[in-house]
């Protein structure tokens, strides 16, 4: 009956011109799968090797920050639903400059992240087809995702729904299988699955020292990127008043079970020094177990996770770009919408950025330029999360405690705690390094990342001057037009 209802009654259209076509199942699976991406399926392996079992604490700390973020965002969403999300809130709470900074820093985040995910798809695809160039697979993936996003918001929702179903199912099956292997003390390679693996190495839980567990927070918090997507989808939900609180509250279960639980199991299944960067830790476990075909399946899941992340980037930046253009903070042509209520101009614009990034990777192959770009994306994540905490604090200050039906618990102290944690992680970025396996050369990627901040700040300042000049010219033209009208009437 529900399908007939949708067939006969078209979805409502929001005041911003978007189609409210995301149903409960879309929202729930987007919320469940939003933070489950390549950061877990691929990145956890290298971090286990470099940090040891203490990585569990790193994911738990980052998860606590992410939970506070979602509660802050939940209060803002239930105050006012908009596809402009935190950019719109920043504009209302801090004025035009706040919206400008939030929008462009979010662009920095997804411009870098989207390119990385597309190239990652190309690398993972080589697992099955080693002779296909990385860039070819990346371009094909980009074309597919652009087509999905341009079709309709429901097409985006369906893609994310099934991608999230696959990711959540894979993680759930792993949690069950991994728990059984630990309970049965299953032999995996030369060792046995056991809680004793948490303490087996020199230094126990902290084989590389306590500070490394804190230092890796920069990379770990990046794994939770896209968790804020619920805020952007709110403007296209069928029933945001009902679905947003459920999605926000589901974050705790997702963080504890999928992230912390998976990393804890991985650390118990094998000693941490048997994992390595660039290889999915799930694939490593099943390869050691002698069940290689499951490793093949997990590689398909990793490709799906990367596709899902890139799809999220196109969707979210498309909406944010259009909001920025409406505010005068980006070219006005980015406001254009299709007959299907899709911001096609903004989606094609970010797709063009991804295309340039893929082509630049061909030119800059074999250098640290791309790694630096990806690390810089974490600056965008931290700024975006910081702006959400700041907006929640300002909402309470301006509107009082009863402005939202989903208040942030412990406010204002919880938001201040979130901001302090993000500030500390920003400082930690400076100590991040990369070691070239071939030469042993240590590259201070964190220091270069921090040095990129003044460059970003300069570009943002120049852009703001351009925006102000354009506004002044528009105001002057409007004044001249009014004067001419008065003269004509006289």
């Amino acid at each position: 009956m529900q399908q007939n209802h949708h067939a006969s009654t078209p979805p409502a259209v929001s005041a911003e011109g978007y189609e409210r076509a995301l149903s409960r199942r879309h929202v729930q699976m987007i919320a469940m799968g939003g933070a489950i991406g390549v950061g877990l399926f691929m990145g956890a392996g290298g971090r286990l090797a470099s940090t040891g079992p203490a990585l569990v604490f790193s994911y738990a700390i980052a998860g606590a920050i992410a939970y506070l973020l979602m509660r802050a965002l939940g209060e803002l969403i239930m105050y006012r639903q908009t596809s402009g999300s935190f950019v719109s809130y920043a504009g209302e709470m801090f004025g035009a400059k706040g919206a400008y900074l939030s929008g462009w820093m979010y662009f920095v985040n997804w411009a870098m992240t989207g390119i990385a995910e597309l190239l990652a798809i190309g690398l993972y695809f080589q697992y099955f087809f080693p002779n296909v160039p990385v860039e070819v697979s990346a371009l094909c993936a980009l074309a597919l995702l652009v087509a999905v996003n341009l079709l309709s918001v429901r097409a985006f929702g369906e893609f994310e729904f099934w991608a999230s179903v696959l990711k959540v199912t894979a993680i759930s099956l792993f949690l069950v299988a991994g728990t059984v292997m630990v309970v049965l003390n299953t032999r995996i390679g030369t060792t046995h699955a056991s809680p004793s693996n948490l303490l087996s190495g020199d230094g126990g839980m902290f084989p590389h020292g306590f500070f490394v567990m804190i230092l890796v927070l920069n990379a770990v918090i990046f794994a939770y990127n896209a968790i804020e997507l619920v805020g952007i989808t709110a403007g296209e939900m069928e029933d945001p008043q009902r679905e947003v609180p459920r999605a926000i509250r589901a974050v705790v279960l997702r963080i504890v079970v999928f992230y912390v639980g998976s990393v804890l199991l991985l650390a118990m299944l094998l000693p941490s020094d048997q994992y390595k960067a660039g290889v999915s830790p799930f694939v490593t476990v099943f390869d050691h177990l002698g069940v290689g075909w499951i490793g093949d399946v997990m590689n398909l899941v990793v490709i799906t996770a990367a596709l899902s992340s890139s799809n999220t980037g196109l969707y979210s930046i498309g909406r944010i770009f259009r909001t920025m253009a409406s505010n005068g903070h980006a070219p006005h042509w980015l406001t254009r919408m299709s007959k299907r209520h899709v911001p096609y101009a903004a989606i094609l614009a970010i797709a063009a950025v991804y295309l340039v990034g893929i082509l630049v990777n061909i030119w800059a192959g074999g250098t640290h330029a791309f790694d630096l770009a990806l690390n810089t994306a974490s600056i965008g994540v931290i700024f975006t999360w910081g702006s959400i905490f700041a907006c929640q604090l300002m909402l309470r200050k301006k509107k009082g405690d009863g402005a939202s039906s989903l208040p942030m618990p412990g406010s204002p102290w919880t938001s201040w705690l979130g901001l302090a944690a993000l500030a500390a992680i920003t400082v930690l970025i400076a100590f991040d390094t990369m070691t070239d396996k071939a030469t042993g050369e240590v590259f201070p990627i964190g220091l270069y990342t921090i040095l990129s901040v003044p460059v970003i700040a300069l570009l943002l300042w120049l852009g703001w001057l351009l925006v102000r000049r354009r506004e002044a010219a528009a105001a002057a033209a409007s004044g001249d037009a009014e004067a001419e009208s008065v003269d004509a009437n006289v």
Side-chain angles (χ1 to χ4, degrees):
M1 292 296 293
Q2 186 149 356
Q3 289 180 346
N4 292 334
H5 169 75
H6 281 301
S8 58
T9 306
V13 177
S14 70
E16 297 168 290
Y18 294 110
E19 195 175 61
R20 292 191 178 277
L22 295 178
S23 65
R24 174 187 293 187
R25 67 184 179 89
H26 292 137
V27 174
Q28 287 180 340
M29 291 311 297
I30 288 171
M32 285 291 286
I36 303 174
V38 177
L40 174 62
F41 283 111
M42 181 62 70
R47 294 184 197 117
L48 272 169
S50 63
T51 309
L55 184 67
V56 174
F57 300 125
S58 304
Y59 271 91
I61 293 170
I65 299 171
Y67 170 67
L68 293 178
L69 171 95
M70 291 302 289
R71 290 309 304 261
L73 182 59
E75 179 169 328
L76 291 165
I77 296 172
M78 298 311 291
Y79 160 67
R80 179 168 62 86
Q81 293 91 49
T82 168
S83 288
S85 192
F86 44 85
V87 175
S88 293
Y89 303 135
E92 181 177 348
M93 304 302 163
F94 295 100
K97 190 175 290 185
Y100 171 84
L101 288 174
S102 295
W104 282 109
M105 286 304 292
Y106 195 64
F107 167 78
V108 169
N109 167 15
W110 273 110
M112 303 300 179
T113 304
I115 295 167
E117 299 285 14
L118 287 167
L119 291 171
I121 291 168
L123 287 170
Y124 306 149
F125 202 70
Q126 284 189 327
Y127 178 87
F128 300 102
F129 303 97
N131 295 324
V132 177
V134 170
E135 290 77 16
V136 171
S137 301
L139 290 172
C140 290
L142 177 60
L144 169 66
L145 297 178
V146 169
V148 168
N149 275 269
L150 291 180
L151 190 59
S152 68
V153 68
R154 186 173 290 276
F156 162 79
E158 286 296 329
F159 188 98
E160 280 304 296
F161 173 80
W162 291 110
S164 294
V165 165
L166 180 60
K167 290 187 288 185
V168 170
T169 300
I171 289 294
S172 300
L173 291 175
F174 171 78
L175 289 172
V176 172
T179 301
V180 170
M181 285 189 279
V182 170
V183 170
L184 298 180
N185 198 224
T186 304
R187 184 178 182 84
I188 303 178
T190 58
T191 62
H192 288 82
S194 168
S196 63
N197 285 327
L198 296 171
L199 305 171
S200 62
D202 294 336
M205 288 285 291
F206 305 92
H208 303 286
F210 177 84
F211 184 65
V212 175
M213 179 199 79
I214 303 299
L215 187 61
V216 80
L217 276 172
N218 166 40
V220 170
I221 205 166
F222 186 76
Y224 289 95
N225 188 25
I227 201 172
E228 71 285 343
L229 181 65
V230 173
I232 299 174
T233 60
E236 294 174 89
M237 292 179 188
E238 290 179 349
D239 189 358
Q241 295 292 332
R242 180 182 62 181
E243 300 306 334
V244 169
R246 292 181 178 181
I248 296 295
R249 290 177 178 131
V251 158
V252 182
L253 178 65
R254 177 170 69 248
I255 289 171
V256 172
V257 174
F258 290 136
Y259 268 102
V260 180
S262 293
V263 174
L264 180 62
L265 262 181
L266 287 167
M268 289 193 289
L269 290 170
L270 285 173
S272 59
D273 60 3
Q274 295 195 31
Y275 296 102
K276 56 185 178 180
V279 178
S280 172
F282 303 96
V283 173
T284 299
V285 168
F286 291 114
D287 280 349
H288 279 68
L289 196 60
V291 193
W293 67 268
I294 297 182
D296 294 344
V297 172
M298 288 307 300
N299 266 292
L300 283 174
V301 174
V302 171
I303 291 174
T304 303
L307 279 168
S308 174
S309 180
S310 301
N311 192 42
T312 296
L314 278 172
Y315 171 85
S316 58
I317 278 293
R319 273 64 183 173
I320 295 298
F321 248 1
R322 182 167 181 261
T323 298
M324 292 164 63
S326 298
N327 293 338
H329 300 159
H332 188 264
W333 57 267
L334 291 171
T335 60
R336 295 174 184 169
M337 296 274 278
S338 71
K339 293 180 180 179
R340 294 176 177 268
H341 305 282
V342 170
Y344 73 91
I347 290 171
L348 290 175
I350 190 62
V353 173
Y354 289 171
L355 175 62
V356 170
I358 293 170
L359 297 178
V360 167
N361 183 72
I362 301 174
W363 170 75
T367 71
H368 292 295
F370 183 74
D371 295 311
L372 179 60
L374 183 57
N375 221 41
T376 303
S378 62
I379 298 292
V381 177
I382 291 170
F383 189 94
T384 296
W385 287 22
S387 70
I388 292 171
F389 283 125
C391 285
Q392 187 276 327
L393 289 168
M394 190 58 69
L395 176 65
R396 286 291 182 98
K397 183 178 179 180
K398 286 188 171 185
K399 305 291 184 179
D401 294 343
S404 172
S405 59
L406 189 65
M408 172 143 181
S411 180
W413 304 111
T414 41
S415 280
W416 281 115
L417 177 62
L419 285 170
L422 292 175
I425 291 171
T426 304
V427 174
L428 292 173
I429 291 175
F431 299 92
D432 195 11
T433 59
M434 289 183 62
T435 303
D436 191 306
K437 291 182 179 180
T439 64
E441 174 193 2
V442 177
F443 178 68
I445 189 171
L447 180 60
Y448 281 98
T449 301
I450 293 298
L451 291 177
S452 72
V453 172
V455 177
I456 295 173
L458 176 61
L459 292 174
L460 288 173
W461 178 68
L462 292 174
W464 178 247
L465 291 181
L466 182 63
V467 167
R468 294 297 299 271
R469 186 177 301 170
R470 189 188 306 138
E471 289 177 349
S478 177
D480 291 342
E482 287 184 17
E484 288 177 8
S485 177
V486 169
D487 290 342
N489 290 331
V490 171

